Structures are given as C-alpha cells and as structure tokens.
Amino acid sequence: MDMWCRYLRGFLYFTGINFLLTFVASILCVCFAPTAAGPGIPEIKAYLNGVDTPNMYGATTLFVKIIGSIGAVSAGLDLGKEGPLVHIGSCIASLLGQGGPDNYRIKWRWLRYFNNDRDRRDLITCGASSGVCAAFRAPVGGVLFALEEVATWWRSALLWRTFFSTAVVVVVLRASIELCHKGKCGLFGEGGLIMYDVSDVTVRYNVMDIIPVVIIGVLGGVLGSLYNYLLHKVLRVYNLINQKGKMYKLLLSLSVAIFTSACQYGLPFLAKCTPCDPSLSDVCPTNGRSGNFKQFNCPKGYYNDLATLLLTTNDDAVRNIFSTNTPLEYQPSSIIIFFALYCILGLITFGIAVPSGLFLPIILMGSGYGRLLGILMGPHTNIDQGLFAVLGAASLMAGSMRMTVSLCVIFLELTNNLLLLPITMIVLLIAKTVGDSFNPSIYEIILHLKGLPFMDANPEPWMRNLTVGELVDVKPAVVSFKGVEKVANIVNALKNTTHNGFPVMDCGLVPTTGVANEATELHGIILRAHLIQVLKKKWFLKERRRTEEWEVREKFTWVELAEREGNIEDVAVTKEEMEMFVDLHPLTNTTPFTVLESMSVAKAMVLFRQVGLRHMLVVPKYQASGVSPVIGILTRQDLLAYNILTVFPHLAKSKRK
C-alpha cells in the first residue's frame, strides 16, 4: 500500500510540474504574443515568399518564443525546439536589421542600409538557417534547409552569407560546450556537436538489404501522408476551439499536458521488467536525468524499457531508441506502445497555444516503426536495429515534410556516419515520391489553414488555358491617377480602396509619330505609402503644373520614401487643400512590369514569383484611341489557384477531369 501511495505522489508531482510549465508557456502565448505559438516556419516561408505576417518578428514575440519553448519542452510535451529555434533566429535577424523593436529603434546611419526589403529578407533567411544549425548542430544542413525549404528567391551572395552565419553558430556552440565540458552547465556540455553518434557502428549491407530499405521508404511515405491528413483534420477542429476565446486556448493546452503526463507515467506499468545485461559497460539500472536503463517500478538489477523511452527528455528518448548494438534492450510490445502513444501525441499536441516544433515528434514516431521493422527483419538483414530507427525517422520526415537534400545532410551530421549516405538517400527519395502522390507537405497544409497566400513554384496545368485578360475582366475597374492629380481624388481613392498600387497616366498627349490623335500615356505606377507621405508632408500645388526634380529632393529623403508605415486615417487634409494639386511624376515608378492581356495565367504567375513582384500591370494587345493603356492590375491574391477556381468554377470541373 505504501508503494502505491509513493507512486501516486510521484504521479501528482510529475503531472503538477508539467501542468505548471505548460501553463506558463501557454499563458504567455495566449495573452502576450499569439504569433509565438507553433513552429513559425510556415510564416517564415510565407514572408520569404512575399507575405508579411503582422507582429511575427517583434521583441515580444522573441521573448515569448524563448520562454515558452523552454517551458513547453521541459513539460515533456511531444514537441521539439527545432521549429521555435528557427523562428528565434529569424526574430533576432529581423531586430538586428531594423535596429531594434518598433518603438525603440536605433537610428544609426549604417543601419539604414539594411532598411530595405531585400536585405531584411536575406537577414531572415540567415536567421532561419542559423536556427536549424543551432537545433541540430548541422551547419551545412542549415544552409541547405534555407535553400530547399524556406527561401523562395535565392542569390549566389546569399549562399556564403548563410554559410557564414551557420559557421559562427557552430563556433559559438563548440566554445560553449568546451566551457561547460566538466558538468558546470548541466547536460549542455555533454555529447559534443554530434547528437546521436553512430560512427562506431560498422554499416554493412548487401543487395538483399535494399528490400527492407525500400519497405521503410514506402512506409515512411504512406505514414507521412497519413499523418499530414489526420493532422489537417485535428488542426481544423483546434481552429474552431481557439476561435471561442483565450480561455479555450488555455484549457486545450492544459488538457493535452495532463493527458501526456498521465500516459508517460502510467504506460510504463504495462511493460515487463528486464534483467540487466552484466556484459554492458553502462550503469544499469539508472534513475538519474540521463541513462539508457530506467529502473522505475522494477527491483534492483532490472530495468523498465518503456520507462527508458517515456520518462526522459525527448532528446534522450531519441538517443536511446537510436542506440546501436542493443538488439535485446527493447521488447517489441514496448516499441509498439511507444509508437502508438507518440502517434496520438503527435496529432493532438501540435496546434495548441505553445511554441512547438514538428521535427522531434516526427523523429520519435519514425524511429518507433523503424525499430519495429528492425526487430522483424533482424534475422534477414545485416543492418543494426538502431540504424533502422534512424532510417525510419528519416523516411517519416521525408514523407511528411517532403525534404530530401537538406534532410539527408542533417541526418549525416547528426549521426556522424558517412556510410549511411547511400541507403539514406534511397529512403528519402522513395518516401518523398510516395508522399507526393497523396497530399502536399505539412508546411503547405499549415499555410493553407492559416490563410497565408503562398505562391507555389509550379502553376497548375489548367492555368495555361486562361489569359490574364480574362482574369482582370472579372475584377472591378482599375483605379488610376493623372500625372498631376487633385488632392481630393487621391484622398477619396485611398479611403475607399485597399489597393497598394495605382497606375499614373498622362492624358491629352500628342504622339511624336503616327496619327496626330490625342493619346493616353502610361507613366508608371505609384505606391500607397508614397501617396500617404505626400499627404503628410503637404506637398501640394495651387495650380496644375509639373515640378522639377530638385523640388522633390528638398522635400523628401530616401529614408522617408523607404518607409512602408502609415495610414490614411491618420492624415488630416483641410477643405482648401482638397482643391489643390499634386504632381505624381517624380514619385512614380516609370518602369513597372507589364504583360499583354493575351498572356496565359501560368506564364504570368511564373514571372510574378521569380521576379518577386507585388503588382503586375495588364496592358491591351491593341491600343486604340480613347482606350486606357492599362486594363487591370494583378496581385498575389489574383494569381492563387484557389482564388481563380472560385471566380471560374468551370475550371474546377476540367481540373477534376
């Protein structure tokens, strides 16, 4: 009876600590920085694709991400710190590039050179690659992750910049580990840069070993796509719950924490005690913070293999199940329970209001069925069970996230065994191919659920049969300005529309050649931010006339024109000023990207994405007298596949056929 009371007190202590840690992480996300919840990688992908999520890279988000990630991981939830570290790296890069938080920015002159969209995008890319490097201690893998998964536009200069960033991260990690090597920093100084070292294992395989490798690749693709499908359903339910209010978000997180703690503490009672092998050099059993043999409820000289996997940190759980030369350490029933539990926890934990990553839950699930397959195929293959667990984790990550090159390098840097390269490549390619035949990657699913207008690299085939002229015909008429426009017309257009770009046209011109009829010239396109700057500066003219270039330079600086902040509601214009004029010629971009109305939507979408445009002007194929030189403007929202299908439902039928 005393023994059960002791177990009950242990359960209450274990669950209470996890409950408190989850409460701290969740309350910070719910009340202070909702954008800090989740991994942050989909939003980073969207930003580097051209979509800026508000409050995604602020100082508050960074603080909540750090504290919340520590609390959530310490609470034993089935989530990783890898995704949050990518977001943390991007937040640090963004804050450094813009000189600090929005309210307390440092206005040093040299920082102004980074105050543009391209440099901020490059800095966030470097921050994301540094986050992957810090999480997996894989510098080359971090660079390839940024290239393959995160970045949309890649330049040669960005390659060495991301490589330099990850090199600095590795040097700092190495120095910190050396300083903490004697145990002064807890477990931080143990293990070096290689997290799951299997370099001492001699990897031997022959032609027949390709069969289990192919099987594990196919299983990874099928299970990865199934995981994406089920997670999509769970996240839709979570969205409905989270929309009800902050209290529901908090209760959902705490419920998952209690369920996780109950399973981790209660399920090891189902496992049988295993006697320790006296030939092993490791201490058995152990009850410390790390160790491969947990005693739990077993007598002296015995260990509980399921407690070894569940009652430990996530990193140690991966390290234990990846352990090689231990064919009899884990019973098949314990591995089955471990795999089933983390499949359930992986589905219900992601999506709650705490910082969370997807890498570690998928690694835990994949290593579970990889180890099971290793137990089944043991008599028929030369590959170690621990290596089967590594291949299983790689296959499930490729089947869910659809990464290949960066994932292969990350696993090689994690395991420190180059002999795994051929079979790892085969597993990743098979898993990705199988997964692609069922559904998109998990990050694309999350982007769609969040409503972020992410533009894919490849247009749909049916887009070739639709022209941009047909697309702009169903849109409202384009709002344009004259070269010298009345202030009242500008204010009304800014208040009554949400457009960010307006064509500027000069009417009543006589062409230098051809028929001497009055024509309309497309002078260019002007941004909403520049119009707001004009209204704020009161740069008005009493008569309708053109201005000189020196007049503009006296009134505006390039730093002011680079700012994208401002709201028309904050600008006060008097009745007398409404009747005045503004010369828009000096502030107009005279070289906008234009396409003919006969161009296909597929071709326009490729151009829009590769150049990184925000606006694309559609011009008529035939210019007649009295016809506007611009028939419409295409934006990112107009070129998204699901938006086009809502406007042209008949295309959805042809797509299904």
Side-chain angles (χ1 to χ4, degrees):
M1 189 67 181
D2 292 339
M3 181 181 64
W4 289 108
C5 290
R6 187 180 61 184
Y7 287 140
L8 181 60
R9 286 197 304 269
F11 170 72
L12 294 176
Y13 178 79
F14 178 73
T15 307
I17 293 296
N18 291 344
F19 182 90
L20 182 62
L21 291 169
T22 306
F23 178 80
V24 172
S26 184
I27 201 71
L28 286 174
C29 289
V30 169
C31 297
F32 297 100
T35 53
I41 295 178
E43 289 83 358
I44 295 172
K45 283 189 64 174
Y47 177 80
L48 297 179
N49 191 259
V51 183
D52 193 0
T53 306
N55 304 320
M56 196 66 201
Y57 305 103
T60 305
T61 303
L62 174 62
F63 173 78
V64 172
K65 198 79 176 186
I66 294 173
I67 303 301
S69 180
I70 293 172
V73 173
S74 303
L77 296 175
D78 184 26
L79 44 84
K81 57 184 181 296
E82 293 79 14
L85 274 173
V86 176
H87 190 188
I88 289 169
S90 299
C91 288
I92 295 173
S94 177
L95 291 172
L96 289 176
Q98 65 185 9
D102 293 336
N103 299 330
Y104 306 100
R105 288 187 182 179
I106 300 172
K107 296 296 184 180
W108 287 344
R109 183 176 297 275
W110 65 272
L111 275 174
R112 294 179 178 178
Y113 293 102
F114 297 101
N115 193 18
N116 60 80
D117 293 336
R118 192 186 72 171
D119 284 337
R120 188 170 185 236
R121 187 176 68 229
D122 289 355
L123 284 170
I124 289 178
T125 305
C126 293
S129 62
S130 300
V132 175
C133 177
F136 293 108
R137 305 175 188 179
V140 181
V143 175
L144 294 176
F145 176 82
L147 170 62
E148 181 181 11
E149 185 64 24
V150 178
T152 297
W153 302 288
W154 193 265
R155 300 180 294 115
S156 58
L158 196 54
L159 183 64
W160 72 263
R161 289 177 180 175
T162 53
F163 187 73
F164 174 78
S165 302
T166 56
V168 172
V169 173
V170 169
V171 170
V172 173
L173 272 175
R174 181 74 262 178
S176 303
I177 289 174
E178 287 297 329
L179 290 174
C180 299
H181 188 64
K182 295 182 179 180
K184 298 179 181 178
C185 307
L187 298 179
F188 179 76
E190 298 183 7
L193 289 178
I194 308 302
M195 297 179 71
Y196 317 117
D197 195 352
V198 294
S199 58
D200 57 340
V201 180
T202 303
V203 182
R204 296 176 181 174
Y205 44 84
N206 50 38
V207 177
M208 295 305 297
D209 290 329
I210 297 298
I211 297 176
V213 169
V214 172
I215 292 174
I216 206 166
V218 173
L219 275 175
V222 173
L223 292 177
S225 58
L226 179 62
Y227 174 76
N228 290 359
Y229 173 79
L230 295 176
L231 188 61
H232 181 221
K233 301 298 182 184
V234 173
L235 291 178
R236 292 182 64 179
V237 175
Y238 278 9
N239 285 342
L240 297 176
I241 297 174
N242 293 334
Q243 288 174 1
K244 294 183 178 181
K246 296 180 179 179
M247 185 58 66
Y248 287 88
K249 290 183 180 181
L250 186 61
L251 291 175
L252 179 61
S253 303
L254 297 177
S255 301
V256 171
I258 293 174
F259 177 77
T260 302
S261 299
C263 291
Q264 289 177 339
Y265 194 88
L267 289 178
F269 287 100
L270 301 177
K272 297 179 181 179
C273 294
T274 306
C276 295
D277 188 352
S279 62
L280 294 176
S281 58
D282 294 344
V283 178
C284 179
T286 58
N287 289 315
R289 291 176 293 176
S290 63
N292 215 32
F293 303 96
K294 297 291 184 183
Q295 185 176 358
F296 193 55
N297 62 333
C298 297
K300 189 174 182 180
Y302 290 77
Y303 70 94
N304 189 314
D305 58 344
L306 190 54
T308 299
L309 299 175
L310 298 182
L311 292 176
T312 184
T313 63
N314 289 336
D315 282 349
D316 278 340
V318 175
R319 192 175 289 109
N320 292 341
I321 203 167
F322 277 6
S323 59
T324 54
N325 299 321
T326 54
L328 302 176
E329 181 176 347
Y330 302 105
Q331 303 172 17
S333 58
S334 298
I335 299 295
I336 293 173
I337 295 174
F338 171 83
F339 173 66
L341 173 63
Y342 275 99
C343 284
I344 297 172
L345 295 181
L347 290 172
I348 67 173
T349 305
F350 187 80
I352 62 176
V354 295
S356 57
L358 276 170
F359 284 90
L360 204 61
I362 293 178
I363 288 176
L364 288 170
M365 285 186 286
S367 60
Y369 77 79
R371 189 98 187 187
L372 273 176
L373 188 63
I375 293 173
L376 294 175
M377 300 294 295
H380 311 288
T381 182
N382 297 321
I383 303 177
D384 190 272
Q385 292 181 14
L387 300 184
F388 265 106
V390 175
L391 295 177
S395 67
L396 191 61
M397 289 189 72
S400 177
M401 299 181 177
R402 313 294 157 78
M403 294 187 297
T404 52
V405 181
S406 59
L407 203 56
C408 182
V409 175
I410 286 174
F411 268 88
L412 288 181
E413 291 182 290
L414 280 178
T415 55
N416 196 28
N417 198 328
L418 197 60
L419 295 175
L420 284 173
L421 179 62
I423 54 178
T424 304
M425 292 173 65
I426 294 174
V427 164
L428 293 175
L429 289 173
I430 294 175
K432 183 186 184 304
T433 305
V434 173
D436 283 337
S437 62
F438 289 101
N439 50 30
S441 71
I442 186 61
Y443 290 134
E444 293 179 23
I445 292 174
I446 297 172
L447 283 169
H448 183 68
L449 280 173
K450 289 180 176 291
L452 297 173
F454 186 83
M455 187 169 288
D456 294 320
N458 301 314
E460 299 286 347
W462 49 266
M463 290 182 177
R464 301 170 188 166
N465 303 324
L466 184 69
T467 65
V468 292
E470 295 172 331
L471 195 56
V472 297
D473 282 343
V474 299
K475 294 183 62 180
V478 64
V479 179
S480 60
F481 294 130
K482 298 176 183 178
V484 181
E485 188 59 83
K486 200 173 182 180
V487 174
N489 295 336
I490 296 175
V491 173
N492 291 333
L494 294 178
K495 287 185 176 180
N496 297 325
T497 66
T498 58
H499 305 332
N500 283 312
F502 302 89
V504 177
M505 304 179 191
D506 280 327
C507 305
L509 297 179
V510 178
T512 55
T513 58
V515 183
N517 293 329
E518 289 190 351
T520 302
E521 177 196 37
L522 172 62
H523 187 71
I525 187 171
I526 189 168
L527 298 179
R528 170 181 285 264
H530 292 167
L531 291 173
I532 292 177
Q533 286 288 340
V534 167
L535 297 178
K536 283 184 176 180
K537 290 277 189 176
K538 307 290 184 181
W539 193 56
F540 304 144
L541 304 172
K542 292 184 178 180
E543 68 277 356
R544 190 187 295 269
R545 69 175 179 87
R546 295 283 293 264
T547 55
E548 301 295 334
E549 187 176 346
W550 61 268
E551 296 181 73
V552 184
R553 291 181 176 177
E554 282 187 348
K555 195 70 175 179
F556 299 96
T557 65
W558 65 271
V559 177
E560 292 172 340
L561 294 178
E563 292 290 338
R564 292 293 182 264
E565 300 176 358
N567 199 337
I568 184 60
E569 280 74 19
D570 301 331
V571 181
V573 183
T574 64
K575 289 184 179 180
E576 292 77 11
E577 292 171 340
M578 286 285 194
E579 300 301 321
M580 300 176 75
F581 300 92
V582 176
D583 182 18
L584 301 179
H585 291 94
L587 299 174
T588 301
N589 176 14
T590 58
T591 57
F593 280 86
T594 60
V595 294
L596 288 176
E597 60 179 335
S598 58
M599 178 181 283
S600 68
V601 173
K603 197 171 183 180
M605 179 182 171
V606 172
L607 175 64
F608 195 98
R609 188 181 189 274
Q610 288 183 346
V611 183
L613 302 179
R614 295 183 64 190
H615 311 94
M616 180 182 286
L617 302 182
V618 180
V619 298
K621 189 173 183 180
Y622 302 101
Q623 181 68 51
S625 178
V627 177
S628 172
V630 176
I631 62 175
I633 296 182
L634 290 179
T635 62
R636 171 183 297 271
Q637 293 282 359
D638 301 323
L639 294 172
L640 293 176
Y642 51 84
N643 282 347
I644 298 176
L645 290 177
T646 57
V647 179
F648 300 96
H650 65 280
L651 294 176
K653 298 179 181 178
S654 62
K655 180 184 177 183
R656 286 194 293 267
K657 292 179 182 179

